[in-house]
Amino acid sequence: AQSVTQLDSQVPVFEEAPVELRCNYSSSVSVYLFWYVQYPNQGLQLLLKYLSGSTLVESINGFEAEFNKSQTSFHLRKPSVHISDTAEYFCAVSEETNAGKSTFGDGTTLTVKP
Amino acid sequence: DTGVSQNPRHKITKRGQNVTFRCDPISEHNRLYWYRQTLGQGPEFLTYFQNEAQLEKSRLLSDRFSAERPKGSFSTLEIQRTEQGDSAMYLCASSLGVATPLDTQYFGPGTRLTVL
């Protein structure tokens, strides 16, 4: 069975600073990896996903995540955050053999301060 | 709005009562998922459907829980004899269900259940 650990429950940063939200996973088979974002009072939205190919994936709003198979990690980064990035971020994994079932981490609350 | 909708948005019930939630997926989405999310935790997978077929159920889904998708469109999640531990946000998501893993799950706003 797969599992996901998000290493930081809360990350406070100042506007325009870089940020990294850490995610480690465990699985005995090949996986797909996802980051979801939940803005205040909104539903979960897919931010980006790794399926195969290039280990670096990017979102349209400047976030990127790198799949590191040897370290079983999928950390999310942004070089310069905005106030509007304040949200809760969830890392998720699903196994290639059962892609319909996703396992989520417990979330990281990113708070961007002016 | 053509997103995933869930009703009701909030439900307060007394322990021992039965409750039913409804999820309407995005039109033409073949897959529908149910998750449960408690405070401070991420969503936990409960079950999912491909059209009307229930393909997988988590062991979290005890015999008090039942989900249906009778015509392959909307789905209902029923909890019988509710317990205080059932208090949570119940999330529904849908996806096209074709060419996984290229599928993307779209989440609804959730139904918050409080069991007194």
Side-chain angles (χ1 to χ4, degrees):
Chain A
Q2 69 265 38
S3 67
V4 176
T5 302
Q6 291 185 242
L7 297 163
D8 308 289
S9 60
Q10 297 195 33
V11 174
V13 295
F14 287 104
E15 194 173 18
E16 298 184 6
V19 71
E20 179 179 75
L21 307 184
R22 297 179 293 167
C23 172
N24 286 100
Y25 71 92
S26 172
S27 176
S28 57
V29 300
S30 296
V31 297
Y32 305 120
L33 293 155
F34 309 84
W35 277 99
Y36 287 85
V37 60
Q38 187 168 26
Y39 298 104
N41 301 314
Q42 294 187 27
L44 277 165
Q45 305 171 38
L46 181 66
L47 186 61
L48 47 75
K49 60 185 174 185
Y50 169 78
L51 303 177
S52 63
S54 172
T55 58
L56 186 66
V57 290
E58 300 177 349
S59 72
I60 59 173
N61 57 353
F63 282 94
E64 64 180 27
E66 186 162 17
F67 171 54
N68 188 318
K69 187 173 182 179
S70 62
Q71 297 188 0
T72 61
S73 67
F74 191 54
H75 301 332
L76 182 70
R77 294 187 286 262
K78 189 171 184 180
S80 175
V81 293
H82 304 288
I83 297 286
S84 59
D85 293 323
T86 294
E88 189 154 21
Y89 293 79
F90 293 93
C91 181
V93 62
S94 62
E95 296 179 343
E96 283 188 2
T97 52
N98 189 7
K101 177 182 176 181
S102 293
T103 298
F104 285 77
D106 287 338
T108 297
T109 301
L110 174 64
T111 303
V112 182
K113 301 180 285 186
Chain B
D1 183 74
T2 57
V4 177
S5 62
Q6 293 186 246
N7 288 288
R9 294 290 307 276
H10 303 273
K11 179 70 177 179
I12 300 174
T13 191
K14 293 183 179 179
R15 189 177 55 183
Q17 298 294 306
N18 300 342
V19 294
T20 300
F21 311 139
R22 176 177 169 128
C23 172
D24 286 90
I26 294 172
S27 178
E28 298 181 355
H29 275 196
N30 296 316
R31 285 201 171 187
L32 187 148
Y33 310 77
W34 284 101
Y35 295 86
R36 181 174 68 185
Q37 185 176 17
T38 52
L39 201 60
Q41 296 191 337
E44 295 174 292
F45 172 84
L46 293 178
T47 187
Y48 83 96
F49 293 84
Q50 174 81 30
N51 299 312
E52 64 273 13
Q54 190 171 19
L55 296 188
E56 184 163 350
K57 291 172 56 172
S58 165
R59 53 189 170 83
L60 291 174
L61 215 64
S62 75
D63 57 3
R64 296 186 298 106
F65 288 71
S66 62
E68 294 182 344
R69 196 183 182 198
K71 298 182 180 179
S73 57
F74 72 91
S75 176
T76 57
L77 177 68
E78 181 183 16
I79 309 174
Q80 295 183 326
R81 305 181 303 281
T82 52
E83 302 173 355
Q84 288 184 326
D86 297 330
S87 295
M89 179 76 85
Y90 290 83
L91 300 172
C92 175
S94 71
S95 69
L96 279 171
V98 295
T100 43
L102 301 180
D103 241 3
T104 293
Q105 294 185 34
Y106 294 85
F107 283 80
T111 294
R112 181 168 295 283
L113 172 66
T114 302
V115 181
L116 301 176

